């Protein structure tokens, strides 16, 4: 319980930029299904993205949830730099490089933001 409280405090201070963006998206998707996961607020949505303490997942796949939650750990580490080091590059990689990845047989998760999140996710105990 103490870890969850600390997680929320840090996301709402050090990670305030991305947490505010996540809150706005959460409010916009208010009618979707929501649940808590290790202090994060998870919303089922058609896309998968993590913004501070808010996680949005396209399906209930446990691996995907762990991966997206790992992005929230990156937010804890990077604080206000998260959007610039993880968020924006990851969005660009997802949105504008689909054709490039397909033509060159490059896995989406090979990008540095995603590899780092996968490494963090592997360290979780479930």
């Amino acid at each position: 319980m103490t870890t969850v409280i600390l997680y929320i405090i840090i996301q709402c201070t050090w990670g305030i930029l991305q947490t505010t963006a996540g809150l706005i998206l959460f409010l916009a998707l208010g009618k979707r299904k929501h649940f808590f996961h290790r202090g994060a607020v998870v919303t089922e949505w058609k896309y998968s993205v993590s913004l501070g303490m808010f996680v949005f997942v396209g399906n209930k796949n446990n691996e995907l949830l762990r991966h997206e939650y790992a992005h929230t750990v990156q937010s804890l580490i990077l604080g206000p730099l998260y959007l610039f080091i993880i968020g924006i590059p990851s969005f660009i990689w997802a949105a504008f490089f689909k054709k490039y990845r397909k033509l060159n047989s490059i896995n989406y998760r090979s990008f540095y933001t995603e590899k780092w999140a996968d490494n963090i996710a592997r360290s979780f105990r479930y």
Side-chain angles (χ1 to χ4, degrees):
M1 185 54 123
T2 305
T3 306
V4 169
I5 293 168
L6 189 57
Y7 170 90
I8 293 168
I9 290 170
I10 294 170
Q11 291 290 16
C12 290
T13 54
W14 179 239
I16 192 68
L17 295 176
Q18 51 273 19
T19 294
T20 301
L23 176 61
I24 292 166
L25 184 55
F26 169 80
L27 293 173
L29 299 172
K31 294 186 181 194
R32 304 286 179 151
K33 183 178 178 192
H34 310 287
F35 59 94
F36 290 98
H37 177 76
R38 297 180 149 201
V41 178
V42 181
T43 301
E44 292 180 10
W45 191 36
K46 60 183 173 181
Y47 303 108
S48 296
V49 63
S50 297
L51 293 164
M53 63 180 281
F54 294 91
V55 173
F56 305 88
V57 290
N59 62 52
K60 291 182 113 177
N61 177 317
N62 284 333
E63 181 191 349
L64 178 61
L65 178 57
R66 283 194 296 272
H67 172 86
E68 290 303 324
Y69 183 82
H71 283 303
T72 77
V73 174
Q74 292 171 323
S75 170
L76 293 173
I77 294 165
L78 298 170
L81 298 176
Y82 173 83
L83 291 174
F84 303 102
I85 294 174
I86 303 297
I88 294 168
S90 187
F91 173 77
I92 292 169
W93 179 244
F96 300 110
F97 284 87
K98 280 183 185 177
K99 189 175 181 180
Y100 172 81
R101 289 192 314 269
K102 188 173 182 176
L103 287 173
N104 294 287
S105 300
I106 298 172
N107 187 307
Y108 174 77
R109 302 275 270 282
S110 68
F111 194 57
Y112 77 94
T113 61
E114 307 310 317
K115 277 198 284 191
W116 184 18
D118 282 341
N119 287 336
I120 292 169
R122 278 194 286 280
S123 71
F124 296 150
R125 292 184 185 178
Y126 282 90

